[in-house]
């Protein structure tokens, strides 16, 4: 049986592929010269990868035909304590014998005996071969690769000693495999941006091994960075046993493919990393839908050029007939799903507008926390809820952690100020530089709370070396939302971790701003912050005097819970109360007002 797509392949070639099954490979060699010649000849003729699976008895168990870049692998039984007993011999039509990221991934995940790549060449004696073995290092399964072996040397290579040694290692390998990915970061702009990328990687539970920075005036069309730098990263990746290379900027599909072919491991960009973080953290239905929307919009233009597999014709339920390309089908399905998500998000937005209108009827002022990601907004919000009397606010907390994008969905809670006035406080998603455009668009609905707010608390991590740049990034987004005319308090958080010089530098650059210095974690200057909020929120309370009959005790309780009681006295006719109340509460008590 031939695996893979054989459409359009001549019967004579199919017969030759089937004849490969009859070849017998000796146990103590990787593959035979006859097998190498047949695979090389057919690959040159078809310009497709050919893969052959061989067991330890030297019997060929599977033959696969792929496209110009990938080939389907047979099913392999995976064991935790030993190798699979299967070695894969496959061709690379591009003439490069280097094991690709997919080759290495298949080798380590399937625990193959060996993974062999043959670089096809019209001259048999010019063929080069790369051989990869599994090995264990730092409690992780990795690939050890032997490169550019001449065909003659590969034919004499005996894999059994290595296989037996590796099997012994797996038998002793009783510890649980380390799942933490190890990454090398690559940037072309600034060290500061790379540092932020490192924080993003940590938020995704990725261990950063090293960073590479290259200053370029023009982006390379094939590799994004220079070819020499790609080679340098390849050597660094091998030396440090990295699993993934993360680029600080957005890459095209062709960039990713070319880089993976030359570096030999998975390559992702900043956008993919941020989307992954959002996918992990999204808890509410709305946040999950917004993340899915951003991912689909990111994937849509990258369907082109991902291999000939996307150009196969197909039919079946959900397609428009046998003539529709798989690429067209995938695109249509994505467009349909995007439309469905947008309709669902619009329904959620309508519900939020209704909730805001209800809050507006209570005449409660609103305060929104905004700021750069990891500035301490959620910590401040949780601390304020604990700081005021416990019987006045809900005790529910939102997730807080020292990582980027700890909060993805808007949370709205009540807060009582020292003068007993109530406000509504909302905690929003944080901002970051180079945030994917599609993600900004998807999350605009979560920022609607800032548009409706009476006061904005712009929370800043004053201990950050990039504090001023972060302030500017947030202000740019706020300007886009049209809230520059709102009352804004610049809250310098984490002052217990910042130096005096850092704080003074921010105050000097932002002279004229209403600035409050606090530490949410250490509860420093929280009273000053609450007083500042009280001064800035619009006064929606009126001072009134009531004489409420004792039979209307519920109204007295309501005045205490929703108003600001200044004076209270029990008289013969009822309870005398002098208090600041909102319009709704006044209407309920108006018949007992003392005029």
């Amino acid at each position: 049986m031939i695996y893979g797509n054989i459409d359009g392949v001549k019967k004579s070639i199919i017969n030759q592929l089937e004849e490969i099954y009859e070849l017998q490979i000796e146990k103590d060699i990787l593959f035979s010269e006859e097998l190498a010649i047949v695979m090389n000849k057919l690959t040159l003729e078809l310009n497709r990868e050919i893969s052959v699976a061989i067991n330890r008895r030297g019997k060929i168990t599977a033959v696969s035909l792929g496209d110009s870049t990938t080939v389907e692998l047979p099913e392999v039984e995976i064991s935790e304590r030993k190798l699979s007993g299967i070695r894969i011999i496959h061709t690379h039509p591009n003439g490069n014998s280097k094991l690709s990221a997919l080759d290495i991934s298949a080798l380590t995940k399937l625990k193959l005996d060996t993974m062999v790549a043959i670089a096809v060449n019209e001259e048999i004696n010019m063929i080069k071969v790369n051989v990869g073995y599994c090995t264990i290092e730092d409690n992780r399964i990795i690939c050890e690769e032997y490169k550019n072996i001449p065909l003659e040397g590969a034919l004499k290579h005996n894999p059994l000693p290595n296989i037996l040694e590796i099997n012994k290692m797996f038998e002793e390998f009783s510890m649980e495999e380390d799942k933490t990915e190890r990454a090398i970061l690559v940037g072309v702009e600034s060290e500061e941006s790379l540092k932020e990328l490192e924080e993003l990687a940590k938020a995704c539970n990725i261990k950063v091994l090293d960073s590479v920075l290259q200053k370029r005036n023009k982006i390379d069309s094939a590799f994004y960075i220079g070819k020499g730098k790609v080679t340098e990263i390849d050597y660094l990746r091998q030396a440090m046993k990295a699993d993934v290379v993360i680029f600080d900027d957005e890459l095209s599909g062709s960039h990713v493919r070319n880089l993976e072919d030359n570096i030999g491991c998975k390559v992702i960009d900043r956008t993919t990393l941020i989307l992954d973080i959002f996918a992990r953290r999204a808890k509410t239905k709305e946040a999950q839908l917004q993340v899915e929307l951003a991912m689909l919009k990111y994937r849509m233009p990258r369907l082109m050029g991902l291999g000939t597999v996307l150009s196969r014709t197909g039919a079946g339920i959900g397609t428009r007939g046998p003539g529709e390309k798989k690429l067209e089908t995938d695109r249509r399905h994505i467009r349909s799903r995007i439309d469905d998500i947008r309709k669902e998000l619009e329904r959620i937005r309508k519900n939020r507008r209704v909730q805001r209108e209800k809050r507006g009827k209570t005449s409660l002022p609103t305060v929104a926390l905004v700021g750069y990601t990891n500035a301490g907004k959620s910590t401040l919000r949780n601390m304020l809820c604990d700081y005021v009397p416990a019987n006045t606010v809900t005790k529910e907390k939102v997730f807080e952690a020292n990582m980027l994008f700890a909060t993805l969905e808007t949370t709205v809670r009540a807060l009582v100020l020292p003068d007993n006035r109530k406000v509504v406080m909302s905690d929003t998603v944080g901002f970051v530089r180079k945030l994917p455009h599609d993600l900004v668009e998807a999350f605009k609905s979560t920022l609607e709370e800032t548009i409706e707010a009476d006061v904005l608390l712009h929370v800043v991590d004053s201990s950050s070396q990039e504090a001023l740049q972060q302030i500017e990034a947030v202000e740019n987004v706020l300007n886009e939302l049209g809230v520059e005319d709102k009352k804004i308090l610049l809250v310098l958080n984490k002052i217990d971790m910042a130096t005096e010089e850092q704080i003074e530098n921010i105050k000097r650059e932002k002279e004229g701003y209403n600035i409050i210095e606090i530490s949410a974690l250490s509860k420093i200057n929280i009273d000053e912050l609450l007083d500042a909020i009280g001064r800035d929120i619009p006064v929606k309370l009126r001072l009134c005097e009531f004489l409420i009959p004792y039979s209307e005790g519920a109204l007295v309780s309501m005045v205490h819970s929703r108003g600001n009681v200044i004076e209270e006295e029990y008289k013969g006719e009822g309870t005398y109360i002098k208090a600041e109340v909102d319009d709704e509460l006044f209407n309920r008590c108006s018949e007992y007002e003392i005029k």
Side-chain angles (χ1 to χ4, degrees):
M1 176 182 176
I2 309 297
Y3 288 87
N5 178 24
I6 60 174
D7 293 343
V9 179
K10 296 179 181 177
K11 186 170 181 58
S12 60
I13 293 177
I14 295 174
N15 290 337
Q16 293 181 66
L17 288 168
E18 290 177 341
E19 288 173 2
I20 291 177
Y21 278 101
E22 306 302 322
L23 299 176
Q24 182 67 33
I25 313 299
E26 296 178 24
K27 295 180 181 179
D28 58 352
I29 62 173
L30 277 172
F31 55 92
S32 66
E33 183 176 9
E34 184 180 5
L35 177 62
I37 291 172
V38 172
M39 293 178 68
N40 186 71
K41 172 178 173 294
L42 294 178
T43 300
L44 285 171
E45 187 169 345
L46 294 171
N47 192 31
R48 295 197 195 184
E49 282 196 14
I50 297 173
S51 173
V52 173
I54 307 172
N55 64 22
R56 288 184 191 160
R57 295 191 301 274
K59 180 175 177 56
I60 293 173
T61 60
V63 177
S64 305
L65 183 63
D67 54 38
S68 60
T69 58
T70 58
V71 66
E72 181 181 350
L73 293 178
E75 292 185 8
V76 176
E77 185 176 345
I78 303 174
S79 171
E80 291 185 6
R81 302 297 296 274
K82 62 182 181 179
L83 295 175
S84 65
I86 297 294
R87 60 182 179 270
I88 299 293
I89 318 296
H90 72 295
T91 56
H92 281 183
N94 60 8
N96 184 352
S97 63
K98 183 180 181 128
L99 295 179
S100 69
L102 290 175
D103 295 337
I104 294 172
S105 177
L107 173 69
T108 56
K109 301 299 182 187
L110 299 178
K111 296 186 175 71
L112 300 173
D113 281 5
T114 59
M115 172 66 77
V116 179
I118 301 175
V120 298
N121 196 302
E122 294 183 357
E123 299 292 333
I124 295 294
N125 60 351
M126 297 296 292
I127 289 177
K128 298 292 183 182
V129 178
N130 277 33
V131 181
Y133 289 94
C134 288
T135 188
I136 297 172
E137 185 174 297
D138 296 333
N139 205 32
R140 299 167 60 253
I141 302 174
I142 62 171
C143 170
E144 184 175 2
E145 186 175 356
Y146 297 88
K147 299 182 177 181
N148 294 322
I149 305 171
L151 179 61
E152 184 180 356
L155 292 172
K156 296 177 181 178
H157 182 73
N158 183 0
L160 287 180
N162 279 346
I163 292 171
L164 294 175
E165 183 181 348
I166 296 165
N167 252 340
K168 185 178 179 181
M169 292 173 64
F170 272 104
E171 289 172 1
E172 298 171 353
F173 183 55
S174 58
M175 299 180 67
E176 187 174 330
E177 185 181 343
D178 185 4
K179 301 295 184 182
T180 303
E181 286 191 287
R182 297 148 62 91
I184 294 171
L185 310 182
V186 181
V188 296
E189 286 190 10
S190 64
E191 292 183 6
E192 291 76 15
S193 187
L194 269 181
K195 288 178 182 177
E196 185 171 276
L197 185 66
E198 182 175 354
E199 291 300 316
L200 289 169
K202 289 178 181 177
C204 210
N205 196 31
I206 295 174
K207 182 178 180 180
V208 176
L209 304 175
D210 203 350
S211 299
V212 177
L213 182 66
Q214 183 183 41
K215 300 288 186 180
R216 288 185 68 87
N217 296 325
K218 185 179 179 182
I219 299 303
D220 186 84
S221 59
F223 300 103
Y224 195 82
I225 55 176
K227 186 69 170 69
K229 189 62 72 172
V230 173
T231 304
E232 177 187 328
I233 294 169
D234 178 26
Y235 290 143
L236 189 62
R237 189 270 308 170
Q238 294 178 66
M240 307 191 81
K241 308 297 183 185
D243 305 298
V244 59
V245 175
I246 306 174
F247 276 70
D248 192 34
D249 292 283
E250 195 169 294
L251 301 175
S252 66
S254 61
H255 282 144
V256 172
R257 186 173 62 252
N258 293 338
L259 288 165
E260 286 187 345
D261 287 344
N262 284 269
I263 296 176
C265 73
K266 181 170 64 175
V267 174
I268 64 174
D269 58 15
R270 183 187 183 100
T271 299
T272 303
L273 187 64
I274 292 176
L275 287 172
D276 190 85
I277 296 171
F278 273 65
R280 291 179 185 214
R281 305 278 172 73
K283 302 300 180 187
T284 66
K285 179 67 174 177
E286 181 185 16
Q288 291 168 353
L289 286 172
Q290 288 167 331
V291 171
E292 185 182 355
L293 176 61
M295 283 183 164
L296 291 174
K297 292 173 74 175
Y298 178 73
R299 279 182 53 200
M300 175 78 84
R302 285 165 176 76
L303 288 179
M304 181 68 73
L306 294 180
T308 56
V309 66
L310 290 176
S311 297
R312 293 201 302 266
T313 60
I317 297 173
T319 66
R320 290 180 176 175
E324 186 176 29
K325 302 284 187 181
K326 186 177 186 300
L327 174 61
E328 296 163 357
T329 304
D330 288 350
R331 280 182 170 169
R332 185 162 56 82
H333 287 168
I334 288 177
R335 282 194 292 266
S336 176
R337 178 59 183 155
I338 287 175
D339 289 341
D340 291 342
I341 293 174
R342 282 174 170 162
K343 290 175 183 177
E344 181 66 16
L345 286 174
E346 182 57 35
R347 185 185 65 79
I348 294 174
R349 290 188 188 106
K350 286 181 180 178
N351 290 340
R352 186 187 285 113
R353 281 195 290 270
V354 171
Q355 292 170 357
R356 279 203 302 269
E357 288 172 2
K358 288 182 178 178
R359 292 202 302 268
K361 291 178 181 178
T362 65
S363 300
L364 290 180
T366 56
V367 177
L369 291 167
V370 298
Y372 209 75
T373 183
N374 202 33
K377 298 183 296 301
S378 296
T379 303
L380 177 59
R381 181 259 185 213
N382 286 337
M383 188 279 309
L384 289 174
C385 287
D386 288 335
Y387 190 78
V388 295
N391 62 346
T392 57
V393 296
T394 176
K395 300 294 288 182
E396 182 181 348
K397 291 188 175 184
V398 293
F399 175 66
E400 60 179 78
N402 185 26
M403 60 175 66
L404 303 188
F405 297 120
T407 302
L408 292 188
E409 50 272 334
T410 301
T411 59
V412 181
R413 297 292 181 267
L415 174 68
V416 179
L417 297 176
D419 61 5
N420 206 36
R421 283 186 295 167
K422 292 182 180 64
V423 298
V424 174
M425 175 169 284
S426 61
D427 183 13
T428 60
V429 64
F431 306 119
V432 67
R433 282 172 295 188
K434 293 194 282 190
L435 189 64
H437 175 73
D438 290 336
L439 207 52
V440 174
E441 289 298 317
F443 273 81
K444 270 189 176 178
S445 61
T446 65
L447 301 175
E448 289 178 357
E449 298 293 338
T450 63
I451 300 174
E452 303 295 328
D454 297 297
V455 177
L456 300 182
L457 300 187
H458 180 173
V459 184
V460 179
D461 177 3
S462 60
S463 65
S464 171
Q465 299 295 329
E466 300 293 309
L468 288 172
Q469 290 85 342
Q470 293 173 2
I471 292 172
E472 183 179 356
V474 173
E475 288 178 341
N476 290 338
V477 176
L478 292 177
N479 289 337
E480 288 181 17
L481 292 171
V483 296
E484 62 273 8
D485 59 337
K486 298 281 184 182
K487 291 183 178 179
I488 300 177
L489 279 174
L490 194 62
V491 181
L492 303 188
N493 192 22
K494 306 184 184 181
I495 60 170
D496 51 338
M497 299 169 60
T499 64
E500 289 187 12
E501 183 180 355
Q502 286 177 311
I503 295 173
E504 289 302 319
N505 185 42
I506 297 173
K507 292 169 70 175
R508 182 172 58 254
E509 292 295 326
K510 296 298 176 181
E511 186 178 358
Y513 282 63
N514 191 354
I515 297 176
I516 303 293
E517 303 171 33
I518 70 159
S519 171
L521 197 61
S522 303
K523 300 183 180 179
I524 300 173
N525 296 340
I526 301 304
D527 287 327
E528 287 84 343
L529 174 61
L530 291 172
D531 289 339
I533 295 173
R535 289 193 299 270
D536 278 356
I537 61 173
V539 178
K540 295 185 178 180
L541 303 179
R542 62 173 73 181
L543 182 62
C544 301
E545 295 178 85
F546 303 104
L547 186 61
I548 302 175
Y550 291 116
S551 60
E552 299 290 341
L555 285 180
V556 176
S557 298
M558 190 178 296
V559 173
H560 274 277
S561 63
R562 295 180 50 180
N564 182 22
V565 177
I566 298 173
E567 185 179 342
E568 184 177 26
E569 183 180 349
Y570 298 103
K571 296 186 176 182
E573 302 87 350
T575 305
Y576 167 77
I577 293 181
K578 183 177 182 180
E580 293 177 329
V581 297
D582 59 33
D583 291 340
E584 184 180 356
L585 186 56
F586 172 78
N587 291 334
R588 292 199 177 202
C589 304
S590 59
E591 61 180 298
Y592 305 116
E593 183 187 14
I594 300 174
K595 299 182 180 179

